[in-house]
Amino acid sequence: MAAHASPGPAGTTIYSVADAAGVSIATVSRVLAGSQVVSQRTRDKVLAAVDRLDYTPSASARSLAVRQHEALGLVLPELDGPYFSELLMGFEEAAADLGLSVVLSLADRGRGLDATRFQRLAAGVDGLAVLGGIVDDEALRRTARQKPLLVVAGAETPGVDRLSAENVTSSTELTSHLLGTHGRTAPVFVGDPDIAPDVRQRHDGFVAALEAHDVAVPEPLRVGLRESDGVAAAELLLARHARPDAVVCANDETALAVLDRLVDAGLDVPGEVSVTGWDDIMTARYVRPGLTTVRQPVRELGALVARRLHERITGVDPAPQDALATRVVLRGSCGCPGDARRTRP
Amino acid sequence: MAAHASPGPAGTTIYSVADAAGVSIATVSRVLAGSQVVSQRTRDKVLAAVDRLDYTPSASARSLAVRQHEALGLVLPELDGPYFSELLMGFEEAAADLGLSVVLSLADRGRGLDATRFQRLAAGVDGLAVLGGIVDDEALRRTARQKPLLVVAGAETPGVDRLSAENVTSSTELTSHLLGTHGRTAPVFVGDPDIAPDVRQRHDGFVAALEAHDVAVPEPLRVGLRESDGVAAAELLLARHARPDAVVCANDETALAVLDRLVDAGLDVPGEVSVTGWDDIMTARYVRPGLTTVRQPVRELGALVARRLHERITGVDPAPQDALATRVVLRGSCGCPGDARRTRP
DNA sequence: TTGTATGCGTTATCAC
DNA sequence: GTGATAACGCATACAA
């Protein structure tokens, strides 16, 4: 065990330092701000005092004075899986490079983030990014009127900017690959388009491909995005009289579970049925057959979001930005010559 | 596209509200604080004004006044893999429940977090948690003197509290299982004990088991914790004249890579060689044979850290806390009847 | 029940 | 080059 909260130099303020150095607080402030006008001699005195007293300026006092929090907010769903980690990493790194700290808020799956917490978060930052579908539109618009706000991978909302990775086109490409190259004729989409704008767009792309190939569009299997949802979907699929010959899943977690459950039930993947995912998480490379999926530049997206926020905060007019390009990654689960070895990122 | 930074009700302060409601700022403050002394009539007037003006109190002004940031800091390495996500989730959730926000700082792998950023972070929170091995001891001690600081899964540092999951005992248990149940005689440890206190403790447990079984203790294979490090380790192992019959890896990422590479090279796992990991990440359940590993209550750890920090901030004397218990998860890769189906969490 | 006045720790605008 | 001093926006002790 160790020292409890401490009597230490806790109450050290700019006044203490000024006293100790025999100067005014203005001078201390100047020195700490790196102003060039102060003489070398004074500077040294001040720095010595700062060091001796172990002084750190109060962040809130500073924020209050400069009218800036020098912080960015980020609202994410409970993050498991690499998607959110990556997004967060990209965001944090970019923010740090800009000298901004990031305050993070995680929403409970399902419930979303309540307006109060959201507002409190917004109050402590200069701008914030919110993953699509977590905060309701009304709260979003209200906040957007107060400070820079960006919705990531979300639905279009009047009055609020957004940024995301491309979905529709690559989903069409992926599905067409299944229909064309692998001659699939009865594909099904696993995922609930209403659960998230991403999923909706992926479904849209799926539908577009089917229509282009004159294939009847089946109702999507509306399940969530977790492993357990994939298992449930697989059971449903297995119970059907007419089984699909291709399962296009909304993300890798569900796809992996489906793949696994199907193989388990004795089906030949990709012989009888193709399975695809979305995200290209680590496990996608390790399973056999390797999971065909779509890779998104998630980290870059996170970084871009932070930089864009900063631009808006500093008043720079941000250049219009298209959705970030994604890439279909072909492995064995769709029917491609599943290289036994996996494709490295 | 949407509204740029906005002329909106940005400069709305408690004074505006007071004016609009025809009361003093003290009353506004009271209403917002939920004080019961104010009359219903006034309360309504104020609330109406707040709503009409879309007022949100300034976080920094409030912090300055109450001398509290109502925020917790968390310093993590760049988080990939579920370990950090889980820790973060547990931490954030507990913090949110306590009404605290969390500001996150990610350290570049290797370099650690520079003292300046660390200090800036510390200045904006009431207490912070740091993952072991990221910030140097000196900076740690200095900060610990100023405000509650907790090191998670770190080395013992005089004057700094810490909290972690159990490592040594479960590592001994795991290794003994290899030596006893599976009759292994030439195990090797993959991981650098100097890279992190966790790894050191796992190695310590490994060594203890060998000594208890009168097995010569080999030099550990000092590599990092990423997949690529595991690949490198596997190559090294494969090149040896005398190959080990058990590979105890410091975490799952490296273990999976080792497992994969070994199987690839034609070795029989677990016939010729056992492979084990640590963490029980998702992929561990999906590979064949399933990866034997150790599961840590990471999320609980994160939550515990946040609560403990809060206790110390509020002056509660925290009860002494042992390391959190971990659990060995036996799957196929050690030689156990690798249930083809995986063990669910 | 409500209002007045002061302090919180900085930054920044003036003078000197 | 340096020092008073006024904001910054809120909480709160004290009066009324």
Side-chain angles (χ1 to χ4, degrees):
Chain A
M1 291 301 98
H4 280 185
S6 34
T12 314
T13 78
I14 198 172
Y15 289 96
S16 340
V17 178
D19 273 7
V23 300
S24 75
I25 64 165
T27 299
V28 176
S29 184
R30 288 192 194 98
V31 171
L32 264 45
S35 160
Q36 289 307 320
V37 304
V38 35
S39 81
Q40 189 58 44
R41 225 178 85 63
T42 344
R43 174 188 314 279
D44 291 344
K45 277 194 306 189
V46 172
L47 256 21
V50 165
D51 207 55
R52 180 151 32 88
L53 270 51
D54 204 5
Y55 166 70
T56 309
S58 150
S60 35
R62 177 181 159 74
S63 295
L64 183 55
V66 298
R67 302 149 155 293
Q68 285 254 31
H69 301 279
E70 297 173 306
L72 258 30
L74 182 60
V75 181
L76 257 31
E78 292 210 283
L79 27 54
D80 44 18
Y83 181 87
F84 300 118
S85 311
E86 287 280 321
L87 192 72
L88 179 53
M89 283 171 62
F91 188 86
E92 204 280 343
E93 184 174 1
D97 285 347
L98 294 167
L100 305 172
S101 50
V102 3
V103 17
L104 182 71
S105 215
L106 264 34
D108 296 358
R109 290 223 166 234
R111 287 192 317 193
L113 192 68
D114 69 280
T116 313
R117 264 186 74 199
F118 181 60
Q119 199 156 349
R120 271 202 44 185
L121 169 63
V125 299
D126 300 319
L128 29 43
V130 181
L131 209 85
I134 303 187
V135 179
D136 67 285
D137 278 17
E138 173 50 22
L140 240 37
R141 268 194 300 267
R142 272 216 336 216
T143 306
R145 257 179 279 127
Q146 317 243 107
K147 47 186 71 178
L149 171 64
L150 235 42
V151 171
V152 182
E156 188 143 4
T157 307
V160 337
D161 278 337
R162 47 182 200 124
L163 218 47
S164 54
E166 198 289 308
N167 278 305
V168 184
T169 305
S170 14
S171 183
T172 302
E173 180 186 342
L174 176 64
T175 309
S176 292
H177 172 77
L178 259 25
L179 303 177
T181 309
H182 300 302
R184 304 302 174 176
T185 56
V188 62
F189 185 87
V190 169
D192 186 352
D194 292 329
I195 220 177
D198 279 81
V199 177
R200 166 163 303 284
Q201 291 165 8
R202 287 167 204 170
H203 182 251
D204 287 349
F206 170 83
V207 170
L210 296 211
E211 289 175 343
H213 285 251
D214 272 327
V215 174
V217 178
E219 189 62 15
L221 216 55
R222 297 177 182 274
V223 297
L225 293 168
R226 325 197 76 160
E227 268 189 88
S228 52
D229 297 311
V231 174
E235 302 299 348
L236 255 40
L237 254 23
L238 286 168
R240 289 192 181 175
H241 29 292
R243 286 189 192 145
D245 60 6
V247 185
V248 175
C249 302
N251 74 345
D252 281 358
E253 267 98 329
T254 51
L256 287 164
V258 166
L259 173 58
D260 196 58
R261 189 69 199 77
L262 257 33
V263 169
D264 232 43
L267 289 193
D268 175 11
V269 177
E272 298 174 67
V273 51
S274 299
V275 176
T276 67
W278 201 286
D279 281 348
D280 194 18
I281 72 177
M282 177 180 172
T283 310
R285 301 199 306 275
Y286 274 94
V287 290
R288 313 293 165 87
L291 183 66
T292 288
T293 183
V294 177
R295 186 175 311 149
Q296 315 188 57
V298 185
R299 188 169 178 142
E300 291 83 331
L301 180 58
L304 188 57
V305 169
R307 285 193 223 102
R308 211 172 169 68
L309 237 25
H310 181 247
E311 287 178 353
R312 292 200 31 200
I313 290 168
T314 53
V316 176
D317 229 328
Q321 167 76 48
D322 291 335
L324 272 67
T326 54
R327 204 180 94 228
V328 175
V329 178
L330 267 19
R331 296 203 179 93
S333 72
C334 62
C336 277
D339 64 327
R341 288 305 74 237
R342 25 218 142 299
T343 306
R344 288 286 158 164
Chain B
M1 288 301 98
H4 279 187
S6 33
T12 315
T13 79
I14 197 173
Y15 289 97
S16 340
V17 178
D19 273 6
V23 299
S24 77
I25 64 164
T27 299
V28 176
S29 183
R30 288 192 194 98
V31 172
L32 264 46
S35 161
Q36 289 308 321
V37 303
V38 33
S39 81
Q40 188 58 45
R41 224 179 86 63
T42 342
R43 175 188 313 281
D44 290 345
K45 276 194 308 188
V46 172
L47 257 20
V50 164
D51 207 57
R52 180 151 31 90
L53 269 52
D54 203 5
Y55 166 69
T56 309
S58 151
S60 35
R62 177 181 161 78
S63 296
L64 184 56
V66 298
R67 301 147 154 293
Q68 286 254 31
H69 300 280
E70 299 174 305
L72 259 29
L74 182 60
V75 182
L76 257 31
E78 291 210 283
L79 25 56
D80 44 19
Y83 181 88
F84 299 118
S85 312
E86 286 280 321
L87 192 72
L88 178 54
M89 282 171 62
F91 187 87
E92 204 281 341
E93 185 174 1
D97 285 347
L98 294 166
L100 304 172
S101 50
V102 3
V103 18
L104 181 72
S105 214
L106 264 33
D108 296 359
R109 291 225 165 232
R111 287 192 317 193
L113 193 67
D114 69 279
T116 312
R117 263 186 73 197
F118 181 60
Q119 199 155 348
R120 270 200 45 185
L121 170 62
V125 298
D126 301 318
L128 30 41
V130 182
L131 208 87
I134 301 186
V135 179
D136 66 286
D137 279 16
E138 174 50 23
L140 241 36
R141 268 193 301 268
R142 273 214 337 215
T143 306
R145 257 179 280 127
Q146 317 243 106
K147 49 186 71 178
L149 172 64
L150 235 42
V151 171
V152 182
E156 187 143 4
T157 307
V160 181
D161 278 339
R162 43 180 203 126
L163 217 49
S164 54
E166 198 289 309
N167 278 305
V168 184
T169 304
S170 15
S171 184
T172 302
E173 179 187 341
L174 176 64
T175 311
S176 292
H177 172 77
L178 260 24
L179 302 177
T181 308
H182 300 302
R184 304 303 173 175
T185 56
V188 62
F189 185 88
V190 170
D192 186 351
D194 293 329
I195 222 177
D198 278 80
V199 177
R200 166 164 303 285
Q201 291 166 8
R202 287 166 204 171
H203 182 251
D204 287 349
F206 171 82
V207 170
L210 297 210
E211 289 175 343
H213 285 251
D214 273 328
V215 174
V217 178
E219 188 63 14
L221 215 57
R222 296 176 182 275
V223 297
L225 292 169
R226 324 197 76 160
E227 270 189 88
S228 52
D229 298 310
V231 174
E235 301 299 348
L236 254 39
L237 253 25
L238 286 169
R240 287 193 182 175
H241 28 294
R243 286 187 191 146
D245 60 6
V247 186
V248 175
C249 302
N251 73 345
D252 280 358
E253 266 98 329
T254 52
L256 287 165
V258 165
L259 173 58
D260 195 59
R261 189 69 197 78
L262 256 35
V263 169
D264 232 42
L267 288 193
D268 176 12
V269 178
E272 297 174 68
V273 51
S274 299
V275 176
T276 68
W278 201 287
D279 282 347
D280 194 19
I281 70 177
M282 175 182 174
T283 310
R285 300 199 306 275
Y286 275 93
V287 289
R288 312 293 165 87
L291 183 66
T292 288
T293 183
V294 177
R295 187 177 311 150
Q296 315 187 59
V298 186
R299 188 167 179 145
E300 292 84 328
L301 180 59
L304 188 58
V305 169
R307 286 193 223 103
R308 210 171 170 67
L309 237 25
H310 182 249
E311 288 178 353
R312 293 199 31 201
I313 290 168
T314 53
V316 177
D317 229 330
Q321 167 76 47
D322 292 335
L324 273 67
T326 54
R327 201 179 97 228
V328 175
V329 178
L330 267 19
R331 296 202 181 94
S333 72
C334 64
C336 277
D339 65 327
R341 287 305 76 239
R342 26 219 141 298
T343 306
R344 287 285 158 166

